[in-house]
Amino acid sequence: MKTRLIIICICLIGAIYGMQSVTHHQAYTQWSAMNPKQLIANGERFLDSGQVDSAMICFSLITQDATIRERASYEQVARAHLLRWQILFYHFYDYGKAIESLHQAEHVDDVPSELTARIEMSYGITYHTMGVQCNDSTFLSRAFDKYISALGHADADIADLIISNSLELAFVNGLWTQVDSIWDGYQRLYHQKEPSWRYSYNVLMHNGMDAMARGDGALAANYFQQQIAAMDYAPDRLRYRLMAHINCAKALDMCGRFAEAIDNISISEALADSAKVKDSQLEIYALKSQIYDHWGKATEANQYNIKHLQLKSDILSYKQLRNITEQDFLNQLQEISDDLQQEREKRHRMITIACISAVFTLAILILLLLLYKKNRSLREKNLRLYRNIEEMTAKPTEKYKQSNLDDEDKELLRAKIEDMMALSTEIFSSDFSAQQLAEAIGEHYKKVSQIINECYGCNFNAFINKYRVQEACRCMADRQNYGNLTIEGLGQSVGFKSRSTFINAFKANTGLTPSEYIKLASDQ
């Protein structure tokens, strides 16, 4: 019969696991995009609704996925380990791995004091349960030490949870003489603080156990009955009701009120069965067997002793089955994590290649643009030089073939023109013309025009612009006297009517813009 039961359990767990594993990859992929805060909230919702495997995925992502763990704070990593402990301890009954999760949570850096207290309390609960189930005083003593350590870090809210277990453990393990120091510390936490219902519960529990330690079962039962009467049936108070009924049954058993004791333990049994709280069921069956034995009802005592042993065996078998399925589950998570990591690396490589290609393409475009501008500037400069050379080498026009100027006359007239250009400031007037030049040196306009064209290879405007640009260059070099002039003002001071005419003439004669020339002059 027992073998068949185990086979049925294996088949059921395998079927459930098979159905759920189909969606694990999808869930893992979807949830891996969440941030650690969202994952913890998501996992807690699943845990509250009984979806334990989904909750385990959320918490495992934080503790096992390196990419997500890097984004998580120390507190979030420690909290995820603590929530994994909750699943492993209360749902999988795998105390070894539960202790391992606490060990990992304990060694996370910079854990807040409140979380440290919860980790120490969870250690205590685990050792406490193991000690009760194995009847091992070493585990019970270790649990008591962990409760004391937890109280050292706890605030009043967490201390409420710790003290209940501490009182029960101290009584069962013969450590009641050490309770006073713990109890005094707990009382100090509530100094100037409004007592909670848990505080009132713990006060009655302390008084009841203290009465039992003194051998007064009737008084103890009275305190525990007050506990029960003050409690409501809220889901989060189930374990408190269980503990109150169990302790009341112990006190009634102590004073020989066996029927009342059985009534109380039967209420606990119904509550534990409805909530499937296996650790409490195990304790209840053992206690019920003990009460029947004290009552002299050997058949009933033996019946519950057998139930206790069967449940203990079933829990052991369940642990082994859960170990197998959990290992498969964790292996699958690791495979999915590896696949996602490869996809992330592949996507990262593609993004990197695309970025490098974009940067390379942009660099080429910028280089081509710079080359285009440089070549265009060079072409314009070469074209201006070519035109200057062309003008200088151009043959005299036909209109000067009838001129009666001989070479000597030309040299004399040329000298007059150059003297005028070198010594007169009239040429820097914007209205200065070829006619004015001719009148200034006392020669005919046509002769002056002929000399400029034949000797200098250009027209009058290009000829006079050369002298005006030379004067502009001199002014640019004299920053002390002319540094306050703008380019437009500088051009007007040497005879150019507009900024654009000045810039074009300056560039035609020097190959540079006025701004470029000023910068070069400043760097010298």
Side-chain angles (χ1 to χ4, degrees):
M1 182 66 184
K2 186 176 177 181
T3 305
R4 290 180 181 176
L5 181 62
I6 292 174
I7 293 172
I8 291 170
C9 288
I10 293 173
C11 293
L12 286 174
I13 292 174
I16 293 170
Y17 178 75
M19 288 187 292
Q20 290 180 344
S21 64
V22 175
T23 61
H24 281 165
H25 190 289
Q26 181 181 359
Y28 193 103
T29 304
Q30 177 185 352
W31 297 335
S32 63
M34 294 182 177
N35 61 48
K37 183 178 179 181
Q38 292 173 321
L39 280 171
I40 289 176
N42 210 36
E44 287 177 331
R45 282 195 298 272
F46 283 130
L47 195 55
D48 290 340
S49 62
Q51 300 177 65
V52 179
D53 283 347
S54 295
M56 180 64 94
I57 292 176
C58 292
F59 303 141
S60 297
L61 278 166
I62 298 174
T63 60
Q64 294 183 333
D65 191 303
T67 304
I68 297 175
R69 191 167 61 247
E70 288 173 0
R71 303 200 308 264
S73 66
Y74 291 131
E75 180 181 357
Q76 288 168 335
V77 173
R79 195 173 295 279
H81 282 300
L82 190 57
L83 288 163
R84 274 175 54 86
W85 165 84
Q86 188 175 338
I87 294 173
L88 291 165
F89 180 79
Y90 287 113
H91 299 277
F92 294 174
Y93 307 104
D94 190 335
Y95 303 143
K97 288 187 178 177
I99 291 287
E100 182 182 339
S101 285
L102 292 177
H103 183 71
Q104 291 172 331
E106 185 180 32
H107 286 81
V108 174
D109 295 332
D110 297 329
V111 176
S113 181
E114 174 267 335
L115 205 54
T116 299
R118 289 188 179 275
I119 293 169
E120 293 293 301
M121 180 184 69
S122 301
Y123 267 122
I125 292 171
T126 308
Y127 289 137
H128 190 168
T129 303
M130 292 167 65
V132 169
Q133 291 183 6
C134 302
N135 196 24
D136 190 325
S137 60
T138 302
F139 281 134
L140 293 174
S141 179
R142 194 179 299 174
F144 193 71
D145 292 339
K146 286 295 183 181
Y147 288 144
I148 294 173
S149 174
L151 281 170
H153 300 284
D155 58 19
D157 292 333
I158 303 174
D160 283 332
L161 302 173
I162 297 169
I163 201 68
S164 302
N165 292 320
S166 301
L167 293 174
E168 181 187 9
L169 176 58
F171 178 78
V172 172
N173 205 38
L175 300 171
W176 192 254
T177 55
Q178 301 180 31
V179 163
D180 287 345
S181 60
I182 301 175
W183 186 253
D184 290 342
Y186 174 64
Q187 296 279 51
R188 282 194 295 273
L189 286 173
Y190 268 97
H191 181 61
Q192 295 181 344
K193 177 176 170 41
E194 185 69 25
S196 65
W197 70 266
R198 287 191 180 91
Y199 175 77
S200 302
Y201 176 95
N202 289 331
V203 169
L204 289 169
M205 183 176 181
H206 172 268
N207 294 341
M209 288 188 166
D210 187 61
M212 280 201 296
R214 290 184 281 103
D216 193 341
L219 180 59
N222 180 263
Y223 283 124
F224 295 135
Q225 285 166 351
Q226 289 181 52
Q227 270 189 316
I228 295 168
M231 297 268 305
D232 60 30
Y233 285 84
D236 62 334
R237 302 185 185 184
L238 172 68
R239 285 188 176 270
Y240 290 94
R241 292 190 64 82
L242 282 171
M243 190 181 295
H245 280 290
I246 289 171
N247 287 331
C248 187
K250 289 178 181 177
L252 292 166
D253 178 50
M254 179 183 289
C255 61
R257 294 157 62 180
F258 303 121
E260 294 177 67
I262 289 295
D263 288 342
N264 270 275
I265 202 66
S266 296
I267 293 172
S268 291
E269 183 179 2
L271 289 171
D273 290 348
S274 65
K276 296 182 175 58
V277 185
K278 293 184 183 296
D279 54 327
S280 294
Q281 287 175 317
L282 203 62
E283 183 181 1
I284 289 165
Y285 294 157
L287 180 57
K288 203 166 185 180
S289 174
Q290 175 185 306
I291 295 170
Y292 275 125
D293 183 57
H294 291 167
W295 199 358
K297 296 190 175 186
T299 302
E300 289 83 352
N302 187 53
Q303 176 186 350
Y304 273 95
N305 186 46
I306 292 172
K307 290 184 73 172
H308 172 79
L309 294 174
Q310 284 179 337
L311 179 58
K312 196 170 185 177
S313 177
D314 290 344
I315 289 175
L316 180 61
S317 300
Y318 181 77
K319 285 181 185 177
Q320 293 172 345
L321 293 173
R322 283 305 316 193
N323 281 342
I324 295 170
T325 54
E326 182 193 354
Q327 190 57 51
D328 290 341
F329 170 71
L330 294 176
N331 288 340
Q332 186 187 36
L333 286 186
Q334 188 60 49
E335 290 175 4
I336 296 170
S337 179
D338 292 342
D339 291 343
L340 290 177
Q341 182 63 27
Q342 290 177 4
E343 290 178 10
R344 280 194 290 265
E345 290 175 357
K346 182 179 179 181
R347 187 162 57 249
H348 178 72
R349 284 195 299 269
M350 292 177 64
I351 292 172
T352 302
I353 292 171
C355 289
I356 292 173
S357 301
V359 171
F360 184 70
T361 304
L362 182 61
I364 290 175
L365 290 174
I366 292 173
L367 181 61
L368 290 174
L369 181 61
L370 292 174
L371 287 173
Y372 171 75
K373 286 187 173 182
K374 186 174 181 180
N375 289 336
R376 187 178 67 178
S377 176
L378 186 61
R379 283 196 303 272
E380 290 176 353
K381 185 175 181 180
N382 290 339
L383 182 60
R384 286 194 299 271
L385 292 173
Y386 172 78
R387 286 173 180 170
N388 288 340
I389 294 170
E390 189 180 48
E391 287 179 357
M392 288 188 293
T393 58
K395 294 181 179 180
T397 58
E398 292 294 327
K399 64 180 180 179
Y400 299 127
K401 287 184 177 181
Q402 303 301 322
S403 172
N404 58 0
L405 287 174
D406 56 24
D407 290 341
E408 185 177 354
D409 291 337
K410 289 180 181 179
E411 285 299 320
L412 288 174
L413 185 52
R414 178 176 178 178
K416 284 184 180 182
I417 292 171
E418 289 185 352
D419 287 343
M420 176 66 182
M421 300 303 293
L423 300 175
S424 176
T425 59
E426 293 180 22
I427 64 172
F428 303 127
S429 170
S430 60
D431 296 327
F432 191 76
S433 63
Q435 182 64 44
Q436 288 175 310
L437 174 60
E439 291 176 356
I441 62 174
E443 294 290 344
H444 194 274
Y445 164 78
K446 287 188 177 181
K447 291 181 179 180
V448 171
S449 178
Q450 179 182 348
I451 294 300
I452 291 173
N453 274 270
E454 289 182 355
C455 296
Y456 299 102
C458 61
N459 60 26
F460 174 75
N461 285 336
F463 176 70
I464 196 169
N465 282 349
K466 178 180 178 182
Y467 285 90
R468 288 172 172 171
V469 168
Q470 289 175 352
E471 177 65 13
C473 290
R474 185 188 68 77
C475 294
M476 289 178 188
D478 186 2
R479 301 299 296 167
Q480 183 175 357
N481 294 316
Y482 297 95
N484 62 328
L485 291 179
T486 62
I487 290 175
E488 186 175 3
L490 192 61
Q492 290 176 353
S493 71
V494 295
F496 290 100
K497 292 183 178 180
S498 69
R499 174 188 174 92
S500 59
T501 305
F502 173 51
I503 292 174
N504 291 335
F506 195 95
K507 199 165 185 179
N509 282 275
T510 66
L512 301 170
T513 65
S515 297
E516 291 171 340
Y517 186 87
I518 291 171
K519 186 176 185 303
L520 288 172
S522 300
D523 293 340
Q524 298 303 314

